[in-house]
């Protein structure tokens, strides 16, 4: 359950209550928020009169639930707001991996020319084989930082495991937790302690319930800036890389208060399908998109088949605004 | 492989070739079309000079392949064309089950008032329990026929098994083969002999390859009027009834020449998600939609949770035209 | 719910009750059994005093439930009993398809030499492509009948669709409903009217709940001789053809009263894994096995990769008896 | 590809070759082993004459492949050998979580009384909710160490994320990488540097190919002591917690050289099915079993429903030896 207490009780008392209830606690505005397991349905008598408001839940989807907060939370990505009353659908783009300075400069130039603000690019690649390209690591982070400084771009990049989570938090504006890392407590706990926005990708074998509960690890630490990203689940179908779960997106929009971003590139796995799927995502009324685009996909060191080339991406971007307008949204 | 022969060789000769090659044969326009297993890569010497054109394939997706016919086939649903150069996205609507004359009259009135042409409604319900409502059977077919006669509506209804396939072919304008029946050779062979349009729903455990091969059963019998319908596949996710496979739709659009219709109602299983998903489907640029709508979903005898009520459906329909326009399509 | 009534109420009264409750009814021994939807939790007042016993259920798994009948039902396959107190694990073997008389004679000779009693062989193959071998049809049924007459073998063969269900019921001793046909009401209803044993294969996309409910279609018609067959479900893993669901088998043994037979050949799809899997099935304590074996798998017209050759099958059979003994069972 | 070089070339040269080929290198016995990406099919001319043996592969399953090493590798778990020529099937047992000293003492006493050698118990639990019991952490590791010292038990425990991998490597005899952590490069790389045995659990959404490639991360670092553990995959079936993939186990036995251990407890998720499944696993001829057993499952802090109580476990263990004997194996 979630209980609110007035700031008047003081930090020490709030901490004591939380400890007594084996609960999480953080201060938000003028109140203390205490979160216990959802199996607790009533506060102990001694705390009842102290609490200003309480919320009970069937499952451990608590801080993320619409039954707790009946609107989409606002999260800022650089200067751009998503969620809340913004009606923005942000387009985040860039290559699968940061490969070299010339490559990432080309990507940055593309974004600037299209008035996009946010650059993606992987430095720690969660490859499934030790014999594949594993990313540039810290060198890549430094290149992204350079793009931020030179072009004013907002940077989002992926943390692969807890050994470099501090570096990623330091160098990026938005921390991306990858599909294969989303159960990683080391990462989740580090992200709970920052206030930078965190984009969590749904694991390809992860239920919606588990996915949202990952967000609870971060929210319960006091970081409210969590974004959910659906990027395709693994099913029996193998003609496409994964299966983009738009039914699941409907569920997330109905039952959670977190902004939702979609990644059609990884779901499809083939560039030919990305434009149609991206348009479908926009029509769903989501808060953002992650699109892989590469100056020359044929020589990309990872995910070559699914990255759009620059002309295809420009053409796609042109087609999104009227769809967004039709559903009361704006592409930014 | 597919081989074309001029009509000059005569029907008897065409039949003899087909028999010799254990192949299917039909006449189309001024040519005979002979289709063997895809394992055949070359015609026997004696037939080589007779053939006007030949096509080889890696798999048994042959007549349905874009590498055979590089455009979407045109299929007529009543007076409405889909596929081809039509750019039409047809909205087919109606209740899950035909339950009574008053109910289906209300559904018909709704369609007429919205200038829609095609009414869906199940008479033979493929329920998974013998203790559930099984549909009105022939009595339902007669009610649908009445709607056609009184209101000029085009009728689509589902065949459940081979025992009543002839009745469904007789009473309906478009034959729907359900997700649980799509491997039924008795049904497929009967549909191959008519020229009425056939809409095949993808089984929820069926690969895209198997799905398209079901269409080959009908196409190879000489009925070119086949429509593919994606309606959600079964995955590990249970918050929604099924998972609508839009990645798969991208594949079908890229590699097959058959019109594609989507059924977001069955995929989602909950009315709250149907509007967003329907808009996503329209933005994909598909040829049609199947939407479940009921005068009073709360008393529906099947699929109560996923049917829209009439006001919600009207509101949804209003929102589709601008999205369709944005992708160069027209809602009809 | 299920209600028992004494035979003293007479057939007419039993029928009237069933009609009034929209229920199924059959006579079993000295009682009438009436089965309504599981949503009914109490009999109407007027029938309460007439009923000798009533059973309520959470779901439509009713006649098949252990909470109704707390033992495995006995089913006779030829002269061999399975289920009940028999402790028998029957090995049913034969080729995927009946291909010719010499082939099926060799298969029959193999079974006779190993003291096995029951021959499997498909005549109506549910192929997913129209361009593959579709089975010998009625000609195959006649060959199987001949094996029965010449060698005293019990025959099990598959019905593919309702167009030939009567023939299969006539020619075979056990009717097999295939994984792709198990939702086919035409077949299920025909099987409900005979008293021959019916083996239902679980669809590869079918939940255990739906699977058991298919059995209810037959049981509720008064045919108690239903056998459940797990043969692999479709998952994301593609190195093997399907995934044999032995966890599901544990569930079926715990919650249903129907004998369970396993088909490791179709699950694995590769002969190399069949012996280990078969031994695992025996150790589970199941009531039977369906194994594909072919005189020369390399030339088989269907499922060539998964059929054992005769020497491998003999060697496998030898290894089963000690495992069966270890779990209190006997291979027959 | 894998290339072997004689130790005569010296460490410096071996390193230089590996660096030139962007390859992994380690010394094994009297040879240097160099492993490149499987996309390399031939050594550069300059190294050809130096290599004593080379192996090419279709995929990145290389060091783990039977086509490289055509026998099961031997791994020592304490004093017990598995794999190789041992024919041992080791039974590893213990509670899901280490909860307290009295609890783990009872578990240890059970193992000792049954002549089992290896104790499992989780200290860092990869829970999917922040509001559940997360394990005792380092305190738990110390309790396990105490059991080792007092009772001579071999200890296996799970690492959850890279923040505590060094502690787990220090305190345990066998490092377990959990299903949710198996893609964690931080963990995999740390395990590649030790020579302690590492048991990798297959992710529930992980293909066999990806699973085996995780082992390659460790093998390519020079640690040959890797054990594969199948513990159930996530499918559409929800009556059981997961689906134990024994078809996949057949594949692993056929194509890899690594010992295979099975975890029926997590797959089933319900104690009632664990005995039958465990017997099936033994009949498969696997190298080991992980069974969850708790002094009082009803009060367990995690996985209460799937843990066996002590009497049930003893009874199960008794039943395994004859099955093991039937397949030429010994329970240890």
């Amino acid at each position: 359950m979630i209980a609110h207490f007035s700031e008047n009780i003081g930090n020490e008392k709030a901490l004591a209550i939380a400890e007594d209830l084996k609960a999480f606690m953080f201060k938000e505005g003028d109140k203390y928020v205490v979160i216990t397991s959802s199996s607790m349905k009533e506060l102990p008598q001694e705390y009842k009169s102290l609490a200003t408001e309480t919320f009970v839940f069937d499952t451990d989807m608590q801080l993320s639930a619409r039954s707790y907060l009946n609107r989409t939370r606002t999260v800022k990505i650089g200067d751009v707001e998503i969620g809340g009353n913004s009606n923005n659908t942000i387009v985040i783009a860039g290559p699968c991996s940061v490969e070299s300075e010339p490559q990432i400069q080309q990507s940055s130039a593309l974004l600037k020319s299209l008035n996009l603000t946010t650059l993606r690019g992987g430095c720690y690649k969660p490859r499934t084989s030790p014999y594949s390209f594993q990313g540039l690591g810290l060198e890549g982070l430094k290149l992204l930082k350079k793009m931020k400084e030179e072009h004013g771009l907002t940077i989002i990049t992926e943390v692969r495991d807890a050994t470099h989570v501090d570096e990623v938090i330091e160098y990026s504006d938005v921390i991306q937790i990858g599909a294969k890392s989303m159960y990683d407590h080391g990462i989740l706990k580090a992200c709970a302690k920052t206030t930078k926005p965190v984009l969590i990708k749904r694991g390809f074998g992860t239920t919606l319930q588990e996915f949202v509960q990952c967000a609870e690890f971060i929210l319960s630490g006091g970081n409210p800036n969590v974004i959910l990203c659906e990027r395709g689940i693994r099913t029996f179908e193998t003609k496409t890389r994964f299966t983009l779960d738009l039914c699941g997106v409907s569920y997330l929009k109905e039952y959670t208060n977190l902004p939702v971003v979609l990644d059609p590139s990884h779901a499809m796995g083939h560039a030919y399908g990305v434009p149609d799927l991206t348009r479908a995502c926009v029509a769903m009324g989501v808060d953002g998109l992650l699109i892989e685009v590469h100056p020359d996909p044929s020589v990309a060191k990872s995910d070559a088949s699914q990255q759009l080339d620059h002309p295809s991406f420009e053409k796609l971007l042109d087609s999104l605004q009227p769809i967004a307008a039709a559903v009361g949204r704006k592409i930014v």
Side-chain angles (χ1 to χ4, degrees), chain A:
Chain A
M1 75 184 298
I2 301 176
H4 289 177
F5 296 90
S6 154
E7 65 182 334
N8 298 333
I9 69 169
N11 201 59
E12 204 176 332
K13 178 68 179 169
L15 273 173
I17 295 173
E19 197 179 357
D20 184 32
L21 301 178
K22 290 177 189 166
F24 291 81
M25 190 277 289
F26 55 85
K27 190 159 184 219
E28 189 178 60
D30 59 357
K31 64 178 180 289
Y32 292 105
V33 181
V34 170
I35 316 104
T36 73
S37 163
S38 62
S39 59
M40 179 170 283
K41 303 298 183 192
E42 209 179 353
L43 279 183
Q45 199 55 40
E46 55 193 301
Y47 303 137
K48 265 193 184 166
S49 56
L50 285 177
T52 54
E53 204 169 8
T54 58
F55 305 82
V56 295
F57 303 91
D58 290 336
T59 76
D60 279 355
M61 269 176 57
Q62 301 186 108
L63 291 163
S64 56
R66 261 194 190 251
S67 59
Y68 172 57
L69 184 68
N70 192 19
R71 55 174 174 76
T72 305
R73 290 168 186 264
T74 303
V75 177
K76 280 193 77 173
I77 297 183
D79 295 329
V80 176
E81 275 188 10
I82 60 169
N85 298 316
S86 74
N87 288 326
N88 284 333
T89 298
I90 189 170
V91 176
I92 302 169
C96 176
S97 299
V98 178
E99 297 171 7
S100 69
E101 178 160 355
Q103 176 235 25
I104 203 70
Q105 285 284 13
Q106 284 181 273
S107 297
S108 299
L110 176 73
L111 266 63
K112 294 302 291 181
S113 75
L114 298 170
N115 290 316
L116 297 177
T117 60
T118 308
L119 176 67
R120 60 148 289 149
C123 301
Y124 299 92
K125 302 304 299 173
R127 305 308 293 273
T128 57
S129 164
Y131 312 119
S132 306
F133 174 65
Q134 310 284 312
L136 296 183
L138 184 56
E139 184 192 338
L141 289 182
K142 288 178 178 166
L143 286 173
L144 289 174
K145 181 92 170 216
K146 196 169 177 187
M147 296 309 102
K148 179 182 172 71
E149 289 163 359
E150 290 187 8
H151 306 291
L153 290 166
T154 304
I155 299 300
I156 172 168
T157 195
E158 178 173 358
V159 53
R160 185 177 58 201
D161 61 68
T163 59
H164 53 260
V165 63
D166 293 335
E167 287 166 16
V168 171
I169 292 175
E170 182 190 342
Y171 280 85
S172 69
D173 300 301
V174 182
I175 301 121
Q176 177 178 320
I177 304 179
K180 298 195 190 89
S181 309
M182 55 150 274
Y183 296 108
D184 188 316
H185 288 208
I187 294 174
L188 293 169
K189 285 173 188 166
C191 289
K193 285 182 201 141
T194 179
T195 55
K196 284 196 175 176
V198 181
L199 179 144
I200 314 177
K201 285 197 164 184
R202 180 184 183 187
F204 43 73
T206 298
T207 62
L208 293 165
Q209 178 80 31
E210 288 177 1
F211 181 30
V212 179
Q213 286 178 186
C214 272
E216 294 277 336
F217 277 88
I218 299 172
L219 296 169
S220 64
N223 181 355
N225 298 306
V226 181
I227 302 162
L228 300 175
C229 178
E230 157 64 23
R231 45 73 75 206
I233 57 174
R234 188 163 267 170
T235 68
F236 62 79
E237 183 54 58
T238 57
K239 294 283 189 195
T240 62
R241 191 173 182 192
F242 293 99
T243 301
L244 191 67
D245 182 11
L246 293 187
C247 290
V249 170
S250 280
Y251 172 86
L252 296 173
K253 287 181 66 181
E254 184 79 7
Y255 290 106
T256 83
N257 54 43
L258 301 171
V260 176
V261 163
L262 297 190
D263 174 353
S265 301
H266 276 89
M268 188 69 203
H270 301 281
Y272 75 77
V274 171
D276 270 350
L277 283 169
T278 303
R279 286 186 280 266
C281 294
V282 170
M284 287 286 292
V286 296
D287 302 296
L289 296 158
L290 268 180
I291 309 286
E292 286 196 346
V293 50
H294 191 284
D296 183 356
S298 67
V299 302
K301 292 190 176 175
S302 57
D303 287 354
S305 71
Q306 78 198 25
Q307 302 194 58
L308 297 180
D309 58 24
H310 287 195
S312 302
F313 178 72
E314 289 187 50
K315 198 175 147 201
L316 167 59
L317 193 67
D318 275 348
S319 73
L320 300 182
Q321 192 61 59
I323 301 172
V327 296
R329 294 213 158 232
K330 205 167 53 195
I331 298 293
V332 293

